[in-house]
Structures are given as C-alpha cells and as structure tokens.
Amino acid sequence: MGSQSSGPPPPPPPSSGGKVFDRLKRAASGAPPPPAAAPEVVVDAVTQLPQRDQLRSRVERAVSRSMPTSSKVVVAFVSVGLLRDVNDTYGADKGDELLRAIAHRLTTIDLPGTEVLRYEGAEFALIFEKLNHAMASEEISQFLVDLMSQPFEIGADHITISPSVGAAISADNYADIDELIRDAHRALAQARDEGTHWEVHDETKRGRYETRVDEARLHAALEGDEFLLHYQPIVNAGTGDLVGFEALLRWKAPGATNAGVMYPSDFLGLLEKSGLAVMVGKWAVAEACRQIAEWNARVWRAEPLFVTYNVSSRQLADPDFLSHVSDAVQSANIEPQLLALDLTEHCLRFNGSDAWPPLRELTNMGVKLSLDDFGIGVTSLHWLLELSLDYVRVDRSFITALGSSTYNRAHGLPDPVGVILRHLSAMAADLGIEVIAEGVETDEEAQGVREMNMALAQGYLFGYPESAHVATTRVDPTAERIHVWDPNEVMDNAVVDVTDGASGAVSAPEANLFDR
C-alpha cells in the first residue's frame, strides 16, 4: 500500500487452515535465511536468490521427488505491485532494500523442501513439494498474502505492500513442467488484474485460455458484438439499498470451449498494445450509459441509479476521449451525474497533466470522477487536491484489515486501520466526497464499514458481477427471470440463483473494466 506507520509492525494475523497451513505458520519473521546457494549457482545480484532460468529444472526435480509418494507440488508466484511507487518516492536504493527484505521473509518459510527464486522485476517464484492436502495451493496462497501484507521495516520507514499471489498444483493432466509454471503465472496475472489478492489455477478454466487471441481476433470480437458488460451492485452502506453498479468487461468468445467467457486478464494486454482499448472503451461507456438509462426508466427512484466505468490509461490519453464520453451521455439521454469515471493513480500518472483538460470539461458537464484503489498508492492525497472528486474507492486490503492488529489490541491501543478509515471518511465528508468500501464479503466487514461512517459499499456480500438480464431482476424484483443457460452466469455466479441479492457460495473473480 506504500503507506508508512510508526511503532513496531504487528505480527502476522492468525489464520485457520489445514495441516499445510499449520506448518506454514511456523515461519518466524526473525529466522535466519537458509544457507547461501552453492557457488556454481548463479544468483540474483540484489536478493542473492536463484534466478528465473533455474525455475524449470527445480520444479522438475521437485515433481520427481514427490512422485514416489503420490504427493503434489505447488508452484506459486508472488508479485509486489507497488515497487515502482517505492522507487519513485524513496529512490531505487530503498526499492532494492525492500526487495531484499521480501526475499528474506520468503526464505524464512520452514516448510521442508521450499525453494524461493527471484523470477523477474518485483515477482518471486516459490516451489513447495511433497504436499498431500487437497487444498494445499489455496492454503499456501492465503498464507503468502498474510505473510507479505505485514509491514516491512526499511530503515526508519515501515512500508506496507499490496501483494498478489498466483498458484497451481501439479496434477496428472499436466503434460509437462512448462504447463504447471504457465498456469501458476496466469493465476498471478488474474489475481493482479482482478484485484482478488490471490488466485489458484482452476483446471475447469483452462478452456478459455485455449482460444487464440490476436489483434485480428479482437477486431472481429468488437465487430461481432462479442464484448459485453457485467454489473456488480453498489449499495448504501447503512441501509443496504441499491444505489448503482460498477460496469465490468467480459468477452463472450466463441471457441472458448465450455466456459464461453473470458476475463480482461486473458486479453487486456493485447487490447492495450494494439490500441483497441480505445475502441472497446468507447463502446463500453456508451453501453453502460444505455443500460443505466433503461434501468432508471424501468423503476422510479428518488435518487436514480448511477454506473461507474473504469477508464484505461490508453483511453484517457485518446484525443477524442472527451467527445466519446459526452456523446455516450447524450445518446443515452441521461443526466451526466449518473456516470462516474473510475480513475487509478497509475492511469493519472501515465497521462500526467494532459489528463486535466478533458477531466475538467467532463466535471463541468456534471460527469462524476472516482479515485480507484485509494490508499494503496503513494500520492493519493495529491489527487484529492488536483481533481474535483465525487467518490474515492477504498481498497479491499483496508476493509479486511479492520480490527486485525493483534499488537494494538493486546496493548490497548486504537486499531490503526480503523483510525485511518474514520479520519478518511470525515475528511471526505468535509470535501463533499463519498467513500466506497470495496470487496466487502462478510457481515463483520459490513459492520466495520458502517462504524467507519463510509457511505457506500460493494462486494460479494451484496452481489456478484452479473449479466444485465440478471441485474435487471435486482433493479426490478417484478421482472421475469429468464431461465436460460448463460455461460457468463456460470462463470461469474457459479450457477447460483442470485435473485435474492445476497446469496452465493463460490466466489468469482472480480475485475475492473480495464484492469491494471
């Protein structure tokens, strides 16, 4: 999160889990690293860890050692999303210190046979072998997130990062080691892109990776109306009443086997590089405006529903961005304030001062602006001064951390996250900004959001991302639910009937329209 705090960092929060997790919890933050690598092993100059080119051979050996006992191997990737911000704020030397601290913490894991490598940049690879627990990959992923979420003491600073973890477990269906490594890295990309902290490769999703994605295919998808939007509810945190939706991009790709839908992490990179992100973004904002107009016409509300749309860096940089948004609002015949543009710090920094003129014009029109992932960057307060914001989205990592400081609780001290969120809510209210709590998944988290006086909330507790026809039954309970097989509902809602607005068992990935 790139934040600083004073005082000793709290110990890792307790977590429950299976036998693998019990063994993992013995990782002591003060334990010395394992013996240095053998002289013939080439190590990374910064972290002294083995490098990427050794990953395949080490995974292969781990699988061979596990086969006689019919046990499994888990390959996991850990990504430090804010390393660039640390480098920009504190300097490259401090960034290197952080990398060394991360490497040291990972090497204190005492599960026998664990290997740690520096994969590339801010990514680390880990190998766990001889595992028998069916949920080993899930437990390891959650443990790694917990472990890496604790502050790092770098000189006089306490730096908290926002880790992403992806993992895959060896299985009989893997033809070679490269597939295992590839699927673990894809899980990392999905976690990073969709903001879920960790993802484990699910073999049932393999089909959607087997669709060939190239620029020509993306052009055909745009021309063939294969892109669609799903909508996740935003509610009043105090009453639970529906107030709006976030629009999320999906690709209903023919040939993606039985899944029938692809998430942004599967195609966003090429979409951005090819320049098609601008065209898809233009379509998406127009469709979001059209849909919210339809819903508001269907049911009268004293306060009409609004929709939020996540702007990509490329789209904001497009010279026609202002006219695209203006045309979408006018074509849908909606009040401009019913559209909110979500902006990330990365998007704003990417475009620099060139972003100000179109954004100011849009706010003058009445279109609202929202700062996404507030609190995990390094200059969030700066954007409060620069932009006429209407919303700030508080990252889920703050919501899950509410009341989790065992150190402060044991010493009778205030909960630091609670203090931050309470003051943030008060500051936002004074500035006329509404706070949206992201990723609320439990009643306890919802209660914490209310206690922090946060205005709005979003997360699986209130509803999954859902297709427009399913969301219509949420907007208008009298609407007839169309009982047809929809592959997008299968992927997003795990074939759970979501008409009651809060039910659901299997959580599905949540993605911004244009994920970072």
Side-chain angles (χ1 to χ4, degrees):
M1 286 180 283
S3 61
Q4 299 182 37
S5 59
S6 58
S15 302
S16 60
K19 295 179 180 179
V20 173
F21 207 102
D22 293 337
R23 294 163 73 190
L24 283 168
K25 287 194 293 184
R26 294 198 298 269
S29 59
E40 66 272 12
V41 176
V42 178
V43 297
D44 172 62
V46 176
T47 63
Q48 299 302 300
L49 293 176
Q51 299 183 98
R52 172 178 179 165
D53 58 1
Q54 300 171 51
L55 178 60
R56 189 188 188 285
S57 61
R58 289 170 182 254
V59 173
E60 191 170 31
R61 288 197 294 270
V63 170
S64 297
R65 288 191 294 266
S66 298
M67 287 179 67
T69 57
S70 298
S71 55
K72 303 298 182 184
V73 169
V74 167
V75 176
F77 286 94
V78 177
S79 174
V80 183
L82 294 175
L83 181 62
R84 177 180 173 183
D85 290 337
V86 172
N87 286 336
D88 290 346
T89 305
Y90 302 105
D93 289 343
K94 188 77 75 171
D96 286 348
E97 286 186 54
L98 177 61
L99 286 173
R100 283 190 286 270
I102 292 169
H104 176 268
R105 186 175 294 184
L106 291 173
T107 56
T108 62
I109 297 173
D110 71 349
L111 196 64
T114 301
E115 296 190 72
V116 183
L117 301 86
R118 186 179 181 190
Y119 189 69
E120 62 182 8
E123 292 182 13
F124 295 81
L126 295 94
I127 307 167
F128 302 87
E129 62 177 85
K130 297 182 179 178
L131 303 173
N132 296 304
H133 195 272
M135 299 294 288
S137 52
E138 285 83 354
E139 291 176 2
I140 285 171
S141 297
Q142 183 60 62
F143 167 77
L144 289 172
V145 170
D146 290 345
L147 180 67
M148 303 310 293
S149 294
Q150 302 310 303
F152 289 87
E153 187 172 344
I154 309 297
D157 298 313
H158 288 157
I159 298 177
T160 305
I161 64 174
S162 182
S164 298
V165 175
I169 190 167
S170 61
D172 295 338
N173 56 288
Y174 280 110
D176 57 46
I177 299 301
D178 293 328
E179 285 187 0
L180 175 60
I181 296 172
R182 179 201 64 191
D183 286 343
H185 202 261
R186 279 176 171 165
L188 171 66
Q190 185 177 356
R192 190 164 48 201
D193 290 344
E194 299 177 356
T196 53
H197 289 306
W198 63 265
E199 288 288 337
V200 170
H201 175 73
D202 181 348
E203 190 60 23
T204 63
K205 300 175 184 176
R206 178 183 291 275
R208 60 189 172 100
Y209 294 115
E210 293 173 352
T211 298
R212 183 170 177 254
V213 178
D214 55 25
E215 188 170 342
R217 185 67 188 84
L218 289 174
H219 270 291
L222 185 59
E223 294 171 0
D225 295 327
E226 294 175 12
F227 290 109
L228 70 159
L229 296 180
H230 279 194
Y231 299 88
Q232 185 169 30
I234 301 171
V235 304
N236 180 301
T239 64
D241 293 338
L242 180 69
V243 297
F245 289 91
E246 180 181 7
L248 305 162
L249 184 66
R250 301 291 186 260
W251 178 10
K252 190 175 181 179
T257 67
N258 63 333
V261 68
M262 296 174 73
Y263 290 90
S265 57
D266 300 328
F267 58 85
L268 182 60
L270 183 56
L271 202 65
E272 291 275 12
K273 291 177 183 178
S274 66
L276 289 173
V278 173
M279 298 173 64
V280 173
K282 177 185 177 182
W283 165 83
V285 69
E287 174 61 18
C289 290
R290 185 203 64 77
Q291 185 62 69
I292 207 67
E294 179 184 309
W295 283 331
N296 283 319
R298 190 177 189 109
V299 178
W300 181 88
R301 284 177 166 80
E303 292 291 334
L305 299 173
F306 67 90
V307 65
T308 70
Y309 152 76
N310 192 274
V311 179
S312 74
S313 301
R314 300 290 182 188
Q315 188 177 8
L316 183 57
D318 181 59
D320 296 323
F321 173 66
L322 172 60
S323 63
H324 288 168
V325 176
S326 176
D327 290 348
V329 170
Q330 293 177 22
S331 296
N333 195 27
I334 63 171
E335 294 297 323
Q337 64 266 27
L338 299 185
L339 172 66
L341 302 177
D342 283 328
L343 305 163
T344 65
E345 185 175 311
H346 169 76
C347 175
L348 293 167
R349 291 175 61 200
F350 179 88
N351 288 280
S353 60
D354 292 340
W356 305 144
L359 291 177
R360 288 194 181 101
E361 284 293 323
L362 288 170
T363 56
N364 290 338
M365 282 175 48
V367 173
K368 295 190 173 184
L369 299 183
S370 170
L371 184 61
D372 203 3
D373 295 336
F374 186 85
I376 65 171
V378 295
T379 56
S380 293
L381 292 177
H382 166 73
W383 303 117
L384 294 183
L385 298 175
E386 290 286 346
L387 298 172
S388 298
L389 292 171
D390 299 278
Y391 305 103
V392 292
R393 288 179 168 274
V394 174
D395 185 69
R396 168 166 167 73
S397 58
F398 280 90
I399 307 306
T400 57
L402 263 175
S404 65
S405 176
T406 54
Y407 177 88
N408 287 59
R409 193 161 53 243
H411 292 78
L413 299 173
D415 173 37
V417 176
V419 171
I420 292 171
L421 292 181
R422 192 176 298 110
H423 284 281
L424 169 62
S425 295
M427 176 182 65
D430 288 342
L431 294 173
I433 299 171
E434 290 190 287
V435 178
I436 303 176
E438 292 190 302
V440 180
E441 296 185 358
T442 67
D443 290 328
E444 291 76 14
E445 290 173 353
Q447 180 61 30
V449 166
R450 288 190 289 270
E451 291 174 356
M452 297 302 107
N453 298 315
M454 302 172 81
L456 306 175
Q458 178 180 351
Y460 296 146
L461 179 65
F462 308 110
Y464 295 92
E466 48 202 22
S467 59
H469 83 260
V470 175
T472 297
T473 64
R474 189 184 297 277
V475 174
D476 179 8
T478 66
E480 182 180 359
R481 174 69 183 267
I482 303 173
H483 294 280
V484 296
W485 184 81
D486 184 341
N488 303 292
E489 288 182 47
V490 172
M491 290 303 298
D492 275 352
N493 301 314
V495 290
V496 175
D497 187 348
V498 297
T499 54
D500 64 357
S503 67
V506 182
S507 61
E510 174 184 350
N512 285 329
L513 181 62
F514 283 109
D515 301 297
R516 279 75 66 200

